[in-house]
Amino acid sequence: MDIALKQQRLALAREVLHTEADAIIALSDRLGDDFLAAVELVLQCQGRVVVTGIGKSGHIGNKIAATLASTGTPSFFMHPAEAAHGDLGMITERDIMLALSNSGESAEVIALLPAVKRKGIPIISLTGRPQSTLARESSVHLDAAVDKEACTLGLAPTTSTTAALALGDALAVTLLDARNFKPEDFALSHPGGSLGRRLLVHISDLMHSGEALPRIVSGSSLKEALLEMTRKGLGMTAVVDGDGNLLGIFTDGDLRRTLDRTLDLAGLRIDDVMTPKPRTIAANLLAVEAVKEMEQRKINGLLVVDQQGRLAGALNMHDLLKAGVV
């Protein structure tokens, strides 16, 4: 490819981006009372936001419905053609409709209006033509008009779909803020994602406890401690007294430091080589707090204690990695 052709194609791509960016800025400047009315209408809704649209507007509507649902506003997408053949039964009198159509004259969407109005459902329209049928028949109209499409033919929905998507995002985020929606709330809608794991998984969900918890009684030999570490496979063992109170910890690092001092391990007791008063963490904290503690202290494992400070479990960085918390 010659240099002139490369420059021509890059110039066109940049023009597309500038055209769409300018349209969004113009859309921002036009926001006003209609947008605020739409926000209040959704906040007052006791049901769900039913989003509908056909063609490219339908694709954008699908994304807006998903964004609303994941940010605290119950929502779903309803295809207008399917709605006319029974799916209208999914809508209740407690719901609200958000209808998308750049022309505001999409026949499949317009055909739904009489049935929706008979149910007494408020309609928010998002169109590029404020004087269109859909805009006139709506409770609130959101103006997403653009000067031109970015398509060189002026035909393919490009700038108009970008503007509609951006306006949908603005609505969703404004609602999120109005509802005081927090990261913890977001995580509940995303339990399979990394954020969900970081905000929903607690240390008690991951820690080794019961028979899987490495522990040895004070006064035991170093050999017994090493056998316990080998059996449990966590690279450490807790040291407790006869009542189960935590006294110390012995790790792979402690073993290396012991070997630096002496190679005669036969007569050593665990109390001679353990680290007393080790760092611990509470079982009811989020697992991400264990990650922070390990990274800050540059350690690979932690002992877990209950509310009374008694030994309850143990976990290491491998457990956190496996759970996807890191």
Side-chain angles (χ1 to χ4, degrees):
M1 186 184 302
D2 61 49
I3 295 177
L5 183 57
K6 286 181 180 180
Q7 292 177 337
Q8 178 185 345
R9 291 180 177 176
L10 286 174
L12 176 58
R14 292 187 179 110
E15 183 181 350
V16 170
L17 294 176
H18 283 298
T19 298
E20 298 198 357
D22 290 343
I24 292 177
I25 292 172
L27 190 64
S28 170
D29 293 337
R30 292 202 307 271
L31 284 184
D33 291 341
D34 287 340
F35 181 81
L36 296 175
V39 170
E40 288 304 315
L41 207 53
V42 177
L43 289 174
Q44 293 167 14
C45 176
Q46 299 298 309
R48 301 153 300 173
V49 176
V50 182
V51 185
T52 192
I54 195 78
K56 302 300 186 293
S57 292
H59 295 309
I60 297 301
N62 240 316
K63 174 15 175 102
I64 292 174
T67 301
L68 287 168
S70 68
T71 53
T73 299
S75 178
F76 68 91
F77 179 80
M78 182 181 68
H79 195 287
E82 297 295 339
H85 293 276
D87 281 3
L88 269 174
M90 294 189 293
I91 306 178
T92 73
E93 288 76 6
R94 297 162 60 88
D95 296 332
I96 190 171
M97 175 170 279
L98 173 60
L100 281 72
S101 169
N102 186 44
S103 68
E105 303 293 345
S106 300
E108 297 86 349
V109 176
I110 300 299
L112 302 180
L113 298 183
V116 173
K117 284 180 171 289
R118 278 197 295 272
K119 287 180 177 245
I121 298 170
I123 300 171
I124 299 173
S125 61
L126 195 161
T127 83
R129 292 181 57 212
Q131 302 306 316
S132 63
T133 301
L134 180 57
R136 292 196 311 269
E137 295 296 324
S138 302
S139 308
V140 177
H141 175 250
L142 298 178
D143 182 6
V146 298
D147 290 336
K148 63 178 182 178
E149 298 289 4
C151 168
T152 54
L153 301 176
L155 299 174
T158 45
T159 310
S160 59
T161 49
T162 299
L165 181 60
L167 190 52
D169 285 342
L171 180 63
V173 174
T174 304
L175 290 164
L176 174 152
D177 183 72
R179 298 183 193 280
N180 196 28
F181 199 74
K182 295 181 172 58
E184 292 79 6
D185 302 312
F186 188 85
L188 291 173
S189 300
H190 300 76
S194 60
L195 177 62
R197 289 190 291 271
R198 289 175 64 87
L199 294 177
L200 295 177
V201 178
H202 288 77
I203 290 171
S204 57
D205 299 323
L206 303 179
M207 69 183 191
H208 300 261
S209 59
E211 291 301 316
L213 172 59
R215 71 184 116 195
I216 195 165
V217 178
S218 171
S220 300
S221 67
L222 177 56
K223 178 181 177 181
E224 291 173 306
L226 294 176
L227 289 174
E228 177 71 355
M229 291 170 63
T230 301
R231 283 193 295 266
K232 304 301 170 62
L234 292 185
M236 62 179 171
T237 182
V239 182
V240 298
D241 63 18
D243 297 322
N245 297 310
L246 181 63
L247 299 177
I249 189 173
F250 186 76
T251 68
D252 289 337
D254 291 318
L255 176 59
R256 288 192 295 272
R257 285 185 285 274
T258 300
L259 290 173
D260 283 340
R261 293 195 302 268
T262 178
L263 295 178
D264 183 13
L265 306 181
L268 292 177
R269 318 307 292 178
I270 192 61
D271 303 70
D272 303 324
V273 291
M274 72 178 186
T275 299
K277 298 180 180 179
R279 301 293 305 182
T280 61
I281 197 164
N284 61 341
L285 293 180
L286 289 171
V288 68
E289 295 299 325
V291 176
K292 293 178 183 177
E293 181 72 12
M294 290 184 194
E295 290 177 343
Q296 181 180 355
R297 302 290 173 181
K298 294 181 171 54
I299 55 178
N300 293 318
L302 274 172
L303 295 176
V304 185
V305 294
D306 61 19
Q307 293 180 344
Q308 286 72 44
R310 295 189 300 263
L311 181 66
L315 76 166
N316 61 19
M317 189 61 79
H318 295 295
D319 300 316
L320 299 167
L321 287 167
K322 185 176 179 181
V325 176
V326 180

